[in-house]
Amino acid sequence: MHSDSEESFELPENPGDTDDDAGVTRNGLTRSQALNLYVSHAFSTWNARGYEFAAILFTAAAYPDTLVAAALRQASPPC
């Protein structure tokens, strides 16, 4: 599936898609800003997924005889 909303965040392939020689793309971001945004998003996602994984391990370590606490923690919706 390829929609118009996905296409608007792509970086231009050729220099003709930029405005003047400032290097600003159609969505108003320079290549450097777009790269920083993508890297920031990747680190943020990595942090969130790492926390979700570690929370289950720490809960399982706190209650070593049962996995009920870890299962309840996994089933609760995120805040």
Side-chain angles (χ1 to χ4, degrees):
M1 293 170 52
H2 191 68
S3 67
D4 291 334
S5 63
E6 291 173 355
E7 187 175 320
S8 65
F9 290 106
E10 293 178 0
L11 292 175
E13 293 293 327
N14 55 14
D17 286 347
T18 58
D19 297 332
D20 300 324
D21 51 276
V24 178
T25 61
R26 288 175 288 173
N27 58 9
L29 295 176
T30 64
R31 284 188 175 273
S32 176
Q33 290 172 331
L35 179 63
N36 286 338
L37 179 66
Y38 295 144
V39 169
S40 175
H41 175 71
F43 284 150
S44 176
T45 302
W46 181 277
N47 181 38
R49 301 293 187 218
Y51 172 78
E52 291 172 5
F53 179 73
I56 299 300
L57 295 180
F58 293 145
T59 305
Y63 302 98
D65 297 334
T66 181
L67 292 177
V68 173
L72 293 175
R73 173 72 174 106
Q74 180 68 24
S76 64
C79 297

